[in-house]
Amino acid sequence: MERLIRVAITLIVFLIVLTTIANIFIAINMASDPWRILNWGVLFLILLALGYLGWNLVQELSSPVRHKPKPPNINFWTADEVPLTSSNRARGVSFGNVSKGSILCVSGGGYKSGLFNLGSIAALNERGMLRTLDTISSVSGGSFTIAWLAIHWDQLKFDEDDVAINFDEVIVEPLIRKYTSVTIDTPSILRGVRSYALGGPSAGEYLSKALRKHFYGDTSLSDIPDPEKGKVPNFCFNSSDLRTSTRWTFSKEDGQPQAQNYKIGTAKQNFAIADVVTGSAAFPPFFSPFCLKLDDAPVHDDSRKAGKTPWIDKIPDHERPHFLNRMELGDGGIYGNMGVEEAKGHRLIFISNAGDPYGETNTYDTSWLGQMRQLIRHYHRQIEQRRKIHAVDLELLYTATPDRENIEVAIWQIEDFLSEDMAALYGAPIRADLAHKVATFPVRLKRADKNQADLIYRFGRAHGLREIDIRIHDGKTRSN
């Protein structure tokens, strides 16, 4: 039926074009010489469009029937039968000089990621592990939730078991209200397109204004508490530098707000939280590049002290100010959508992945636009798989040095599913259609239905609790 509709629409457009051509021929015969030349030009363009439509019609009639995508394969896990695969198990690996404790890496993925990762940090809090994290590294949509956690950290009241007893009141409930009441992507894009054409603010700047209004107010990096071992994690927000294909990391160090890039240097500057999150979530092509002015040029003192020549010093003098005066940022997921680059040096690595917006499909669109979407899908999945390998299969690099300190890696993903017994234990639904609905929720900054938001949050919480209990909390780690 869907195929017949497409063919009918193509035929209707075909007839409309033919009628337009006939009218142009009449206009050519009746017009004066200048208008006759213009009409011949219009006729040529329409003939090109007609040829393209005819080619698509032939392809549509000759191509095999396409089928609707099937729901992703869902694995029903039990506590004793967890698949020993690299994407969902903790493995004892060696990571060189391990000097830090635990890290939580949260992925991008719009509001879906924010809600899923909200459930993940709730799970860590319930097990008394949130406060003991050394680092929290976030990307894109995950930065929405982590930024809210960071600026409200001082309001959390921890008991003797390191559990924040007011976590729902301070973090969960306000964020769910915002995720279910505010749409900020489409309004920001429309305002940006209208304004930017007249030399005004870009869509990214309007997104930052929306975040100030609805989420973070006028807070800045200086409002985030200083990292303190066992009490306050180091909050790291990741963004991509579109000029150097590297990463900017916004954080606090020694009480000083800063942004770091290993090629350009370290900028000691107090950035607004709304700008930080916008830079982390500046999804192309709508919100990027998101430009931030630098008050002072970034410095590379550590490299120079070590006798190394920084990358920025190799840039010609006339080009260097372009890198030192401002940032040109894109979504952190361009560089890496799971924030695992900060994991190096940590002994215990948690990864909460709500990304993978495209998923598997058994369809293949032969049109140009369809093939471009397919290409983007392949690139995205390839990059994400490489990040997982980077995070989980490090043991392949260190099997010859068993004396090095072990690392525990635990990953939970939004497309995974729970068995009936685990779902009942952790309060997550067990129906396959609900799991598919959560995994394929649109990657947008659009307000979610309250039931959908609650569903995604409970999935994140359940997956986090399961991984913590099986891998870490009970001291049980699966071996090869």
Side-chain angles (χ1 to χ4, degrees):
M1 185 63 183
E2 182 181 348
R3 184 180 178 184
L4 290 175
I5 292 174
R6 287 199 298 265
V7 172
I9 292 174
T10 305
L11 286 173
I12 292 171
V13 175
F14 197 83
L15 293 173
I16 293 173
V17 173
L18 284 177
T19 304
T20 305
I21 290 175
N23 290 329
I24 290 179
F25 269 117
I26 295 173
I28 288 175
N29 291 327
M30 298 179 63
S32 58
D33 288 340
W35 287 104
R36 186 173 298 177
I37 295 174
L38 177 63
N39 285 330
W40 276 112
V42 174
L43 177 62
F44 176 73
L45 294 176
I46 292 179
L47 286 175
L48 286 179
L50 184 65
Y52 179 73
L53 284 170
W55 177 72
N56 272 283
L57 181 61
V58 172
Q59 276 206 324
E60 189 65 49
L61 293 174
S62 60
S63 63
V65 178
R66 300 185 183 98
H67 301 282
K68 292 182 178 180
K70 296 179 180 179
N73 293 329
I74 296 174
N75 298 319
F76 291 82
W77 299 349
T78 65
D80 298 324
E81 298 176 346
V82 180
L84 296 180
T85 63
S86 62
S87 63
N88 56 36
R89 66 174 173 174
R91 307 170 75 178
V93 300
S94 189
F95 205 26
N97 297 322
V98 179
S99 58
K100 301 177 183 178
S102 56
I103 180 173
L104 170 64
C105 305
V106 300
S107 75
Y111 278 2
K112 175 176 72 171
S113 169
L115 288 162
F116 185 84
N117 291 316
L118 178 61
S120 297
I121 61 175
L124 287 167
N125 179 62
E126 289 181 39
R127 294 298 183 260
M129 305 188 74
L130 179 62
R131 193 185 190 187
T132 60
L133 290 171
D134 279 358
T135 309
I136 300 180
S137 175
S138 65
V139 174
S140 193
S143 293
F144 279 69
T145 291
I146 300 307
W148 184 271
L149 174 68
I151 62 177
H152 293 88
W153 185 271
D154 287 339
Q155 298 179 26
L156 295 176
K157 300 176 181 178
F158 292 91
D159 61 17
E160 63 276 7
D161 296 320
D162 284 329
V163 176
I165 58 177
N166 60 339
F167 188 81
D168 287 352
E169 175 188 345
V170 175
I171 306 298
V172 176
E173 294 172 2
L175 266 180
I176 289 182
R177 283 198 299 270
K178 292 185 180 298
Y179 285 137
T180 57
S181 62
V182 180
T183 297
I184 59 177
D185 54 0
T186 301
S188 299
I189 292 171
L190 294 178
R191 292 190 183 105
V193 170
R194 181 187 62 192
S195 170
Y196 197 63
L198 302 174
S202 65
E205 291 174 272
Y206 277 107
L207 177 61
S208 177
K209 291 180 180 179
L211 290 176
R212 279 185 172 88
K213 178 179 179 181
H214 298 292
F215 281 83
Y216 312 114
D218 294 325
T219 58
S220 62
L221 286 177
S222 63
D223 296 313
I224 295 176
D226 297 337
E228 185 177 354
K229 182 71 173 179
K231 293 184 178 180
V232 183
N234 182 25
F235 295 96
C236 298
F237 303 93
N238 297 281
S239 183
S240 301
D241 188 280
L242 299 179
R243 303 159 300 178
T244 61
S245 299
T246 54
R247 175 175 64 108
W248 279 102
T249 302
F250 296 86
S251 62
K252 285 186 74 175
E253 185 172 326
D254 299 327
Q256 177 68 48
Q258 64 178 19
Q260 289 182 310
N261 180 286
Y262 81 91
K263 282 189 174 181
I264 300 175
T266 301
K268 303 285 186 179
Q269 184 172 328
N270 187 24
F271 298 92
I273 294 294
D275 288 341
V276 170
V277 176
T278 300
S280 183
F283 191 83
F286 306 110
F287 298 118
S288 63
F290 177 63
C291 299
L292 286 178
K293 182 181 178 181
L294 294 174
D295 297 336
D296 298 304
V299 296
H300 243 303
D301 292 340
D302 292 341
S303 297
R304 295 189 179 95
K305 289 178 181 178
K308 299 179 181 179
T309 302
W311 176 88
I312 193 65
D313 288 354
K314 302 175 184 178
I315 300 298
D317 292 342
H318 67 281
E319 295 182 4
R320 198 173 301 153
H322 178 71
F323 295 95
L324 299 179
N325 293 339
R326 66 174 184 172
M327 302 175 177
E328 292 186 7
L329 304 176
D331 191 290
I334 299 172
Y335 187 82
N337 198 45
M338 293 191 292
V340 298
E341 291 74 25
E342 284 293 320
K344 186 174 182 180
H346 291 80
R347 184 191 64 80
L348 178 57
I349 302 171
F350 296 110
I351 302 175
S352 174
N353 182 21
D356 192 17
Y358 298 106
E360 294 85 1
T361 176
N362 66 344
T363 65
Y364 185 80
D365 195 336
T366 56
S367 68
W368 290 351
L369 180 60
Q371 290 185 67
M372 183 59 67
R373 287 175 56 84
Q374 195 81 1
L375 181 64
I376 294 173
R377 177 186 292 119
H378 290 326
Y379 276 136
H380 180 274
R381 290 191 64 80
Q382 182 185 49
I383 293 171
E384 185 166 275
Q385 290 301 322
R386 287 184 178 275
R387 296 302 184 192
K388 292 177 185 177
I389 292 172
H390 171 74
V392 180
D393 288 339
L394 291 168
E395 63 179 337
L396 298 177
L397 301 176
Y398 294 99
T399 51
T401 55
D403 56 316
R404 297 192 181 187
E405 188 173 353
N406 285 337
I407 289 177
E408 300 293 340
V409 181
I411 299 181
W412 53 93
Q413 304 182 106
I414 196 168
E415 67 263 29
D416 294 339
F417 198 60
L418 298 173
S419 65
E420 185 173 349
D421 57 340
M422 282 195 172
L425 179 62
Y426 296 127
I430 61 173
R431 284 166 44 194
D433 62 324
L434 292 179
H436 177 58
K437 185 177 183 180
V438 168
T440 57
F441 187 81
V443 180
R444 287 192 55 188
L445 306 179
K446 178 183 178 182
R447 69 180 184 87
D449 177 83
K450 290 184 179 180
N451 292 331
Q452 291 175 329
D454 180 67
L455 195 63
I456 298 171
Y457 165 74
R458 286 193 288 138
F459 259 78
R461 175 183 171 275
H463 282 302
L465 287 173
R466 183 207 61 198
E467 282 294 328
I468 295 169
D469 288 349
I470 293 178
R471 315 300 185 195
I472 310 299
H473 202 64
D474 294 337
K476 298 176 182 178
T477 302
R478 300 247 176 197
S479 62
N480 292 333

